[in-house]
Every structure is written in C-alpha cells, then in structure tokens.
Amino acid sequence: MLSKYAQEISEYLSSMMGRSIIITDINGIIIGSPAKERIGDFHPPSIPCVKYKKMSFDDAKAAKELGVWYPGSTVPLFYNGRVMGTAAIAGEPEVVMQFSLLVKNQIESMLREKILSPSLSSPQKKINELVRDIGVFDPNRDDHALLTKRAEQFGIELDQPHGVIAVFFSNFRGLGLEKNPVKISYESYSDPIEDEIDYSSMHGRVIVLLREIFPDPQNIIASVARDRFVVIRPCDISDERHLEEDVEASGESAEEIYNKLKEASLETIIGVGHPAHNLFEL
C-alpha cells in the first residue's frame, strides 16, 4: 500500500521542502527517495522507530556510525492505527525537529487521500461538495437554480427553512489543535506520536452515528473539512412557538451528538445555528 505511492510522495515533498525526505517500509528498506539510487537500500534508524513507534534524531556523528547518508530525524507513519513504515528528513536535528511532525502528518494525509479517493466518488462525496458550495454561496455570483437542482437529486428542498448543527473535532492530532484547552488524552495510548485518532477509520463511523441521530432522509449530513461535520435539517419555524421548540430540540440533539462521540473518545465543540428561511440565509 505505502510502496505504491512512496516514490511520488517522497519526490513531491522533497521538492516542496527543499530537503531530502525518504520513505521506508516496516523493514527499514527505502521505497521512496528523491535520490532514486537509494531505493532498495537499508535505512538503520527506521528499525527502532518502527519497533518503539517513536520519533528519533541522529546528528552527523550518529548518522555516520549508523552508516546513513545524512543526519536528520525519522518518524513512524501510521495507517488505521498501525505502523506502515517511516519517513526520514535530512538535516540537523535542531532544525528538522521543527517540522518533522508536519511532514509525518502530510505524508499520512496524502496516503489516506490516495487510498480513499476511489471510494470518495460515492454519493457521500457529492453531498459533501454540495454542502461546501452552500457554505460559500454568493447570490451575486452563483447560480441559485443550479445549487437547488443539485440538492433535488438527493430529495432536498433548499429553499425550505433549515437548521444547521456544526460538529468540530478538538482532539484530532496534526490539526494545529495540540494546545487546544479542550483536547483530551487517551488512556489507551502512551506514545505521544501514537496517540492520534486515525481520521480515515473514524470518518465513516461519524457519518453513521450522525445518521442514527438524524434518520430523516431530508437531513443532509456532510463532512466539510478533515475535522468538521455538518447536519442541515428541515425545521418548522412558522411562528414564535415553533421557533423556540426548534431551538430547544437542536440543543438536545447537539448534546446527544457530543455524548455519543465522547464515548468514541472524540471530544467535540458543537455549534447550533439560528434557523434559516432560505438558501441565502443558510
């Protein structure tokens, strides 16, 4: 799986970063490198990195003793909670340690996208795209009829009143949220690198959970970013009493989402929007 895309990812990131970034398999064999003559070589620092699932650093002296080309850092790469290989970034440890986790997260993200891309041609992907377009809809620029027609393909009438619930994950690693005060720790993980929730494995579970809470087919449930989901649901706001009831019901639904996701070790921040009368307000 990793070997299929390792060379492409290595060449791309190396050119972007201006540094050599190699990728190895779990046996420490280089499967991606900007210097293609290194492919197939053994990379000794990768073995303890895979074994202990920890980042390691080697200065020039240590690199020479290990028989590798350059000093740098080596980080484990995860997919579905399992180590699938490593990435090594060339440079002095005090320099490369500043962006080692960034490179690690970028490689894992690129790999997930490549693996998942065939399945993302599904109806869910089209719904995600529809909701993103709703979010940036500009009546002065965009075609109202085109957007409502796309929604009708899913049996949704956008120009009816709708309420919106936004779900934001506060404890996915690699999202710049490590200092978020509501980030939680995981008792099942003891490694600072390994304590990440794998996005690809959680994504489908979140969609299913939200669909259980909002089973009406008129509800739109979408992923609008790596750490954000949205529920758009029809609502009755024909008078003040119905409006108050809808707002109260939305709060109860938000609390149910929060509690169920917390049971799955996902800490969330949930926003409930004021009901919208039409597409423009939505």
Side-chain angles (χ1 to χ4, degrees):
M1 181 169 58
L2 179 60
S3 60
K4 183 177 180 180
Y5 305 108
Q7 183 60 25
E8 176 188 348
I9 293 174
S10 171
E11 290 181 351
Y12 172 75
L13 289 180
S14 295
S15 64
M16 290 287 291
M17 303 292 292
R19 292 180 179 273
S20 175
I21 298 173
I22 66 169
I23 297 174
T24 80
D25 62 16
I26 58 173
N27 298 310
I29 302 301
I30 297 174
I31 54 177
S33 170
K36 293 183 179 179
E37 63 270 23
R38 297 190 68 187
I39 294 177
D41 288 351
F42 178 56
H43 185 253
S46 293
I47 297 302
C49 183
V50 169
K51 181 177 181 180
Y52 299 109
K53 302 177 183 179
K54 291 183 179 291
M55 181 190 305
S56 64
F57 298 96
D58 299 297
D59 57 20
K61 181 180 179 181
K64 186 176 181 179
E65 291 174 353
L66 287 169
V68 295
W69 284 24
Y70 308 108
S73 70
T74 306
V75 293
L77 300 174
F78 291 88
Y79 183 75
N80 281 346
R82 300 180 63 182
V83 178
M84 57 182 170
T86 72
I89 305 98
E92 292 301 323
E94 60 269 22
V95 175
V96 296
M97 69 180 299
Q98 300 175 36
F99 53 84
S100 294
L101 284 178
L102 175 63
V103 170
K104 162 188 157 61
N105 291 328
Q106 183 64 31
I107 292 174
E108 291 172 343
S109 177
M110 292 175 70
L111 184 65
R112 279 191 292 264
E113 288 177 6
K114 290 182 178 296
I115 293 171
L116 293 174
S117 58
S119 64
L120 288 180
S121 58
S122 64
Q124 185 61 54
K125 179 184 178 184
K126 294 179 181 179
I127 292 174
N128 295 345
E129 292 172 346
L130 171 66
V131 173
R132 291 189 191 105
D133 290 342
I134 291 173
V136 297
F137 175 72
D138 182 348
N140 296 316
R141 178 195 64 201
D142 301 323
D143 188 339
H144 176 282
L146 182 60
L147 203 54
T148 54
K149 187 175 182 180
R150 285 170 56 193
E152 287 171 1
Q153 295 176 0
F154 302 102
I156 305 297
E157 297 182 25
L158 282 183
D159 279 325
Q160 299 298 317
H162 285 83
V164 178
I165 297 177
V167 183
F168 169 78
F169 292 96
S170 60
N171 63 347
F172 272 144
R173 298 272 302 182
L175 297 172
L177 300 169
E178 287 80 359
K179 297 181 180 179
N180 191 306
V182 298
K183 176 182 178 294
I184 64 173
S185 59
Y186 306 100
E187 295 180 358
S188 58
Y189 291 95
S190 58
D191 188 299
I193 292 178
E194 192 181 359
D195 70 344
E196 69 180 81
I197 298 295
D198 188 278
Y199 173 73
S200 61
S201 64
M202 292 302 299
H203 182 274
R205 290 176 60 192
V206 174
I207 291 288
V208 170
L209 185 145
L210 291 175
R211 181 58 67 187
E212 289 175 352
I213 298 174
F214 301 94
D216 188 337
Q218 283 290 310
N219 294 318
I220 305 175
I221 298 174
S223 168
V224 293
R226 185 172 185 263
D227 59 334
R228 293 169 175 82
F229 289 76
V230 168
V231 178
I232 299 177
R233 53 181 189 75
C235 58
D236 180 4
I237 52 175
S238 54
D239 55 40
E240 189 67 27
R241 180 176 64 85
H242 285 100
L243 174 60
E244 291 178 359
E245 291 176 351
D246 183 81
V247 172
E248 183 177 353
S250 295
E252 292 173 354
S253 296
E255 187 172 359
E256 183 178 3
I257 294 170
Y258 178 86
N259 290 332
K260 286 196 173 183
L261 288 175
K262 190 166 186 177
E263 291 175 4
S265 296
L266 286 169
E267 192 81 0
T268 54
I269 300 171
I270 301 177
V272 178
H274 193 278
H277 290 82
N278 49 47
L279 176 58
F280 177 71
E281 290 186 3
L282 187 61

